Amino acid sequence: MRRAGDLLGAIYLVALFVFVFAPIAASVVFSFNSDRFPTLPLGSFTTDWYARAFSRPELWEAIANSLLVAAVTSVLATFIGFATAYTDFRYGFRFKQAYLALALLPPTMPLVIMGLAMLAWLSQLGLSGTLRGIIIAHTVLATPFAMAICRLRLSQMDTTLEAAAWNLGAGQWGAMRHVILPFCAPAIVSSLCLTAAVSFDEFIVAWFVSGLNRTVPVMILEILQGNVDPQINAIGSVVFLTSMTLVVLAQLMIFRRRRHD
Amino acid sequence: MIDRSGLYRLTWRLPLLLWQGAFFVVPLCFMAAMTFWLVQNYRMEPAFVWTNWQRMLGRAVFWDAYWVTLWRAALAGLIASVVAFPASYVLAFRMGEAGRRFVLLCLIVPFFTSFLVRAYAWQVILAESGPVNAVLGGVGLGPFTMLNSSFGTMVGYLTLVLPLVVIFQTWSLAAIDRALIEAAWNLGATPVKTLLRVILPAARTGLLLGAVFAFIMSFGDFVSPAYLGGSKPPTLSILIIDTTKSGQQWPRAAVVSVMMIVTLFATAAAALRLAYGRRG
């Protein structure tokens, strides 16, 4: 009885995984498949879609834009996220609840609304249509993730460690540099990876504010608005590979140490 | 003058306030103010008029989109919760700590991968002559039209929210005190009774939070209804994009946004009260 139940449960879990990961797997499979409208049985193996997609100069431009935006966003978001996590860890103050709400609220806001609000506000500042505009918006969206990762790491730290450093004569800045930052290093690297992935995949806000400076996902969106084009699978597979690598790296950084602690 | 310790404190406290203040709070407030502005010759001009509100809220298109979006997002929250529950149950009660953590880490990955490309992959998979219909045709069924329908939209919503719902549910189920469940068994409760009277109430917070997050994400999602649902009928997110991109009617799009935010806040507040309120 128990065995049968376990088996059913396992099958259910696998089915759910198949549903969640089917589009990712399908995208990779179709990217190497010769049919324009893929079906079963599959057509022949080809790398043609990759060759076509990557021979477009605008794709390389978009990749350069995406990498730049993701890199700057990850540094900014990680700094702000770390600072916020440390503030929450170290200090109690009035309105702390509101402060934390501000820190964690952005991901709950629909991206379409963020896109419109950012477009309107950045236009007022003369920043819409620039890469700086996208960086600003992505930093807003990515900071909560950075804050969560750093806070998770800080919660594993012995709270007396910092005080011990002060007692041994370190100043506040010294304790930060020699105790807190080294302890948080894995979380900081992890946060850099994860926030880069957030920025690399975000397309709605980027689409609203980008103007002519397109990032990779914005370019995919614009191809999508035309016809079915298997080049998207080729570009998409590269995008998947990039963000999945970043996320897995992020996970390895924060969860690796735990086993030994 | 601030002393050194004050400087240190502000170095860590201010970045969030400055950045999210200037680029999260202010843009949203500006958007709310914009709903009262006028558009003349394709340019926005500061004003204080109710025209945009009257125009948007007076149109049947808006209310059709509103109810469709609300209904579909609620349905997505419900379906995702029901579909996720058996998986969460297996993860929480039938799997070891290490295995569970590994599965949850795997489920976090798709959350950070391009939803746009995943939706495109569904377009291909579910197409009239796509792989799913090919398999169904092999056993003499179909072909079914799955795209450009509410079915397509729902597939998109579930792809988006299922991993998150499973994570929330598993956390709350795994946190239940096992002694509670064993006590129910010892007192002669049937499995169904144990589930309904012990497990579900004890895991209430995570179950509700999962459903609410599924609702919030589906409510605001643009990709599923546009690329898998065929934009008909339009949802609120599609309405915002159409209104913004064509005709520069930003203030009217802002009206839709404010209505969405109000709805989301009301839902979230009600759900949080239910989740953390007095146990009934």
Side-chain angles (χ1 to χ4, degrees):
Chain A
M1 217 13 225
R2 177 75 186 253
R3 278 276 168 79
D6 278 0
L7 187 67
L8 270 180
I11 292 174
Y12 191 89
L13 202 58
V14 170
L16 186 118
F17 260 74
V18 168
F19 178 80
V20 169
F21 285 93
I24 299 178
S27 195
V28 176
V29 171
F30 295 153
S31 73
F32 290 112
N33 179 39
S34 60
D35 299 335
R36 176 167 281 272
F37 299 100
T39 186
L40 291 174
L42 291 168
S44 55
F45 178 87
T46 180
T47 53
D48 197 33
W49 304 119
Y50 285 90
R52 276 199 223 177
F54 285 91
S55 65
R56 300 164 77 142
E58 71 262 37
L59 178 60
W60 289 103
E61 210 172 290
I63 290 175
N65 284 342
S66 273
L67 290 179
L68 179 69
V69 170
V72 180
T73 298
S74 68
V75 172
L76 282 171
T78 300
F79 169 69
I80 302 171
F82 172 78
T84 309
Y86 178 69
T87 299
D88 177 36
F89 167 75
R90 164 89 192 269
Y91 300 101
F93 47 93
R94 276 178 73 192
F95 307 119
K96 189 167 171 181
Q97 294 279 336
Y99 180 83
L100 291 178
L102 183 65
L104 298 172
L105 216 50
T108 63
M109 192 57 68
L111 289 167
V112 174
I113 296 179
M114 283 304 294
L116 175 64
M118 286 317 255
L119 172 65
W121 182 237
L122 293 176
S123 300
Q124 294 289 312
L125 302 179
L127 284 170
S128 88
T130 66
L131 287 183
R132 270 179 301 166
I134 307 180
I135 291 170
I136 287 174
H138 280 184
T139 303
V140 170
L141 299 175
T143 294
F145 296 103
M147 141 85 180
I149 293 176
C150 294
R151 189 65 188 84
L152 186 71
R153 181 69 185 154
L154 281 168
S155 68
Q156 294 163 8
M157 195 173 98
D158 189 341
T159 43
T160 55
L161 229 66
E162 196 181 12
W166 300 332
N167 286 340
L168 294 170
Q172 302 237 49
W173 296 99
M176 169 56 75
R177 216 181 113 202
H178 297 292
V179 178
I180 310 238
L181 278 179
F183 185 85
C184 287
I188 287 169
V189 177
S190 172
S191 154
L192 286 171
C193 293
L194 198 74
T195 50
V198 169
S199 162
F200 196 73
D201 282 328
E202 199 290 319
F203 58 94
I204 292 185
V205 180
W207 182 41
F208 269 92
V209 302
S210 65
L212 295 173
N213 294 300
R214 292 179 300 181
T215 58
V216 175
V218 173
M219 188 178 158
I220 295 176
L221 189 74
E222 285 177 359
I223 301 177
L224 245 178
Q225 286 171 333
N227 287 318
V228 171
D229 190 336
Q231 287 182 35
I232 295 178
N233 289 322
I235 307 172
S237 298
V238 175
V239 170
F240 280 144
L241 189 70
T242 312
S243 47
M244 283 167 88
T245 308
L246 286 170
V247 176
V248 170
L249 271 178
Q251 291 180 336
L252 287 177
M253 286 310 293
I254 27 174
F255 290 107
R256 187 194 51 186
R257 291 257 178 118
R258 268 216 181 151
R259 270 178 227 145
H260 306 293
D261 285 348
Chain B
M1 278 298 287
I2 31 176
D3 58 28
R4 279 183 59 111
S5 161
L7 182 71
Y8 180 83
R9 197 173 60 226
L10 289 180
T11 305
W12 308 112
R13 192 176 304 180
L14 280 183
L16 179 90
L17 293 174
L18 293 178
W19 196 278
Q20 303 298 61
F23 301 120
F24 180 67
V25 177
V26 172
L28 288 174
C29 294
F30 178 69
M31 187 183 70
M34 197 166 81
T35 61
F36 300 105
W37 287 23
L38 274 173
V39 176
Q40 270 162 355
N41 303 324
Y42 298 101
R43 290 183 64 88
M44 288 199 301
E45 280 170 23
F48 189 79
V49 291
W50 289 89
T51 330
N52 302 307
W53 284 92
Q54 286 160 350
R55 281 282 164 80
M56 281 321 280
L57 301 191
R59 283 167 62 189
V61 178
F62 171 80
W63 289 107
D64 289 348
Y66 187 85
W67 294 117
V68 162
T69 313
L70 197 66
W71 162 243
R72 283 193 185 170
L75 203 60
L78 183 71
I79 294 179
S81 297
V82 172
V83 170
F85 189 78
S88 314
Y89 188 89
V90 172
L91 282 171
F93 295 120
R94 295 276 184 272
M95 211 177 242
E97 173 84 36
R100 177 163 63 234
R101 177 182 291 168
F102 178 75
V103 171
L104 291 186
L105 283 178
C106 288
L107 279 176
I108 291 175
V109 175
F111 186 79
F112 292 101
T113 58
S114 174
F115 183 49
L116 188 61
V117 184
R118 285 188 283 154
Y120 174 73
W122 276 124
Q123 269 193 2
V124 178
I125 298 170
L126 298 178
E128 205 85 14
S129 58
V132 170
N133 269 323
V135 170
L136 291 175
V139 292
L141 290 170
F144 294 101
T145 304
M146 292 176 277
L147 290 173
N148 299 332
S149 64
S150 42
F151 176 80
T153 310
M154 198 52 72
V155 168
Y157 286 160
L158 291 183
T159 311
L160 183 67
V161 304
L162 263 181
L164 202 68
V165 177
V166 172
I167 291 169
F168 271 112
Q169 290 188 346
T170 306
W171 270 338
S172 60
L173 287 175
I176 297 177
D177 188 353
R178 295 303 165 94
L180 223 60
I181 298 167
E182 275 156 30
W185 280 97
N186 291 340
L187 292 169
T190 60
V192 175
K193 218 167 185 182
T194 312
L195 182 71
L196 292 179
R197 304 291 292 273
V198 179
I199 296 178
L200 288 185
R204 185 178 62 165
T205 305
L207 301 183
L208 268 166
L209 284 183
V212 168
F213 263 88
F215 172 83
I216 290 177
M217 288 174 74
S218 309
F219 191 74
D221 180 38
F222 154 73
V223 172
S224 309
Y227 293 107
L228 299 171
S231 295
K232 278 183 195 128
T235 58
L236 291 176
S237 52
I238 294 176
L239 204 58
I240 290 179
I241 286 181
D242 285 351
T243 315
T244 311
K245 294 260 168 184
S246 60
Q248 301 288 313
Q249 279 294 354
W250 296 359
R252 287 185 199 167
V255 170
V256 181
S257 301
V258 172
M259 290 296 287
M260 279 179 89
I261 294 176
V262 170
T263 308
L264 285 176
F265 265 94
T267 315
L272 285 177
R273 265 185 86 133
L274 263 178
Y276 292 108
R278 194 173 54 86
R279 308 221 161 216

